[in-house]
Amino acid sequence: MTGGRIKIKELLKSAPHSQEVVVKGWVRTKRGNKKVAFIALNDGSTINNIQVVVDVEKFDEELLRQITTGACIKVIGALVESLGSGQPVEVQATSMELYGTANPDTYPLQKKGHTLEFLREIAHLRPRTNTFGAVFRIRHAMAYAIHKYFNDKGFCYLHTPLITGSDAEGAGAMFSVTTLDLNNVPKTEDGKVDYTQDFFGKSCNLTVSGQLEGELGAMALSEIYTFGPTFRAENSNTPRHLAEFWMIEPEMAFYEIEDNMNLAEDFLKYLIRYALDNSMDDLQFLAKMYDGELIDRLNFVLNNDFVRLDYTEGIDILMKSGHKFEFPVSWGLDLQSEHERYLVEQHFKKPVILTNYPKEIKAFYMKQNDDGKTVRAMDVLFPKIGEIIGGSQREESLEKLTKRIEELHIPQKDVWWYLDTRRFGTAPHSGFGLGFERLLLFVTGMANIRDVIPFPRTPKNAEF
Ligand code: 4AD
Ligand code: MG
């Protein structure tokens, strides 16, 4: 408690009592008449406001005039039973202090009805809305639940680097990290950029995934997970892609693909159950405002087994569906979200784990199947989202992995350390990556990934 302050979430759970309480927060609304004013105050601890009742005659007129939507105030008063506010208790103010005004002519968050698009333009203020308060509290709850889940299972949280010299996925463009003077780039004799003069003495980029280093951890600690930001410079302006997003990547020694699928399903269900158990107020608000089926959908995923299906069977279903897809379906196709969503929403009406993808459309490190065509990949596909998890069993054979790296012309000098795990004490192992914001899209029911991260980074947008 600071200065005896009690958070509104706690206050709303208290019974009326005789001691004075101190609340601090931002004014959502003020209404009333010449005699009495009602202030709805919020401090972000909960979606709910506390009502402050003000006997107008007892307060300075100028002070009351300045208490407008968006202003920040401290209130001291009695916690009394409330008859009309929709909450059991309210605060009868005995004194108030104004921390900061918010000029009604310029404060952009007046009472109601802003579009999410408009709120994105004022991402510095949108945490003060009910919607973003709810979303960011759920985001926090999910981050906590992720650490709790893995900690309870004995996984070790491994911090992998954000700056790397390797390309883990081999898909999509990367952001380069350099201190070279871009107006005067040093060149080698054959006209290429001379990275030996750069900060790290070689070309580096922001990581697209912590997996490769995660595998190094798993080959010693046996079960690790990462949870941090990752970066992709792909120019995809979609409601499901960010240039900077957070990823959770567990990596486990001695896990085969089935164990990996079991973990992924259990993990997702745990997180959804955690949200239902701990964030119900916020979920109900979001359900009411944006997505009436949200809570049913969460329960549905919780109560059903995920379908497990071969890529090849999935392609069969899509080809026989008679559905007209924007991207035509044939074996070898890298599934688009329209295909993923068809399987999940139209065909099975359940989450699907798709396995054994063609090796050509998957990363070099995936365990090769005996058919010579497919790899032991697994993508978890969710309603409304499409791919929420991507993972695989890893190729543990040094010989097969080296051959694949050569086929794909990946320079050995970049991955010698990765190959060493196969050279020394190799073991079967598996892992996956959960896109944190994709999870949040599902859990909050929000439709655009820009609305589940406080300060989204997308093409042509890095404000705030
Ligand atoms: O499928 P991806 O590319 O897999 C990997 O990066 C592996 N290294 C993971 C692993 O096996 N350890 O990405 C994993 C997940 C996707 O399923 C998706 O949820 C999310 O990351 N993701 C994105 N989320 C937001 N914006 C983007 N641009 C994303 N790209 C991938
Ligand atoms: Mg993927």
Side-chain angles (χ1 to χ4, degrees), residues 251 255-258 260 365-368 375-378 391-396 428-431:
E251 191 71 34
Y255 269 51
E256 309 265 337
I257 190 76
E258 286 78 19
N260 205 25
Y365 50 69
M366 295 193 181
K367 185 171 173 68
Q368 297 161 33
V375 286
R376 232 167 265 186
M378 55 164 238
S392 74
Q393 186 166 340
R394 318 305 188 192
E395 182 53 74
E396 80 257 27
H429 62 291
S430 302

Side-chain angles (χ1 to χ4, degrees), residues 169 232 362 379 387 389-390:
E169 290 303 304
R232 301 201 182 172
K362 289 293 183 187
D379 279 10
E387 179 189 339
I389 278 179

Side-chain angles (χ1 to χ4, degrees), residues 66-343:
Q66 293 189 76
I67 297 180
T68 54
T69 296
C72 187
I73 60 173
K74 168 183 175 180
V75 179
I76 302 177
L79 188 69
V80 298
E81 190 184 344
S82 172
L83 299 175
S85 74
Q87 302 294 345
V89 290
E90 62 192 21
V91 173
Q92 185 79 48
T94 49
S95 81
M96 291 194 291
E97 185 184 329
L98 183 65
Y99 284 135
T101 58
N103 185 340
D105 297 331
T106 49
Y107 182 60
L109 287 174
Q110 298 305 329
K111 280 180 195 173
K112 273 204 177 52
H114 298 301
T115 64
L116 293 170
E117 288 78 10
F118 170 73
L119 292 173
R120 263 172 237 148
E121 289 168 20
I122 51 163
H124 59 306
L125 294 173
R126 69 179 182 169
R128 296 201 200 170
T129 62
N130 284 331
T131 296
F132 287 93
V135 168
F136 297 147
R137 276 187 299 273
I138 294 171
R139 189 178 165 106
H140 162 77
M142 290 293 89
Y144 175 74
I146 285 161
H147 286 299
K148 178 161 169 50
Y149 179 84
F150 286 120
N151 184 63
D152 289 354
K153 276 189 150 2
F155 281 53
C156 184
Y157 180 27
L158 190 78
H159 296 105
T160 51
L162 301 191
I163 300 174
T164 70
S166 57
D167 175 3
E169 290 303 304
M174 297 182 292
F175 294 102
S176 65
V177 176
T178 180
T179 53
L180 292 178
D181 177 357
L182 294 184
N183 292 312
N184 186 18
V185 176
K187 294 278 174 67
T188 58
E189 271 170 18
D190 52 359
K192 300 210 172 110
V193 177
D194 183 5
Y195 284 107
T196 61
Q197 297 189 41
D198 202 351
F199 188 91
F200 296 106
K202 62 176 188 170
S203 138
C204 280
N205 48 268
L206 292 178
T207 191
V208 296
S209 157
Q211 179 194 321
L212 301 190
E213 292 88 353
E215 285 185 51
L216 312 182
M219 286 294 115
L221 300 158
S222 77
E223 292 170 338
I224 66 93
Y225 70 105
T226 72
F227 184 1
T230 48
F231 307 87
R232 301 201 182 172
E234 52 199 342
N235 205 352
S236 15
N237 242 318
T238 81
R240 280 180 297 278
H241 288 88
L242 291 164
E244 175 179 296
F245 64 99
W246 288 63
M247 187 151 53
I248 301 99
E249 295 187 275
E251 191 71 34
M252 298 74 63
F254 319 122
Y255 269 51
E256 309 265 337
I257 190 76
E258 286 78 19
D259 308 309
N260 205 25
M261 289 194 262
N262 292 342
L263 183 74
E265 181 168 346
D266 185 64
F267 179 45
L268 287 168
K269 286 180 170 171
Y270 176 91
L271 297 177
I272 291 165
R273 192 174 308 114
Y274 191 92
L276 287 167
D277 288 348
N278 294 277
S279 302
M280 203 36 134
D281 280 0
D282 289 323
L283 289 174
Q284 275 168 344
F285 173 80
L286 295 172
K288 186 177 82 194
M289 294 299 290
Y290 299 101
D291 182 352
E293 286 157 23
L294 175 62
I295 312 243
D296 287 346
R297 199 180 312 116
L298 296 179
N299 277 308
F300 181 79
V301 167
L302 207 52
N303 296 323
N304 279 285
D305 288 341
F306 296 5
V307 173
R308 299 181 182 191
L309 187 76
D310 250 49
Y311 168 91
T312 302
E313 288 174 63
I315 289 288
D316 249 21
I317 292 170
L318 292 172
M319 296 217 295
K320 289 186 183 137
S321 71
H323 189 89
K324 253 206 119 25
F325 293 106
E326 193 187 330
F327 293 87
V329 182
S330 63
W331 199 92
L333 171 78
D334 196 0
L335 296 187
Q336 303 294 313
S337 107
E338 56 168 341
H339 308 119
E340 297 171 342
R341 293 183 61 178
Y342 181 88
L343 289 174

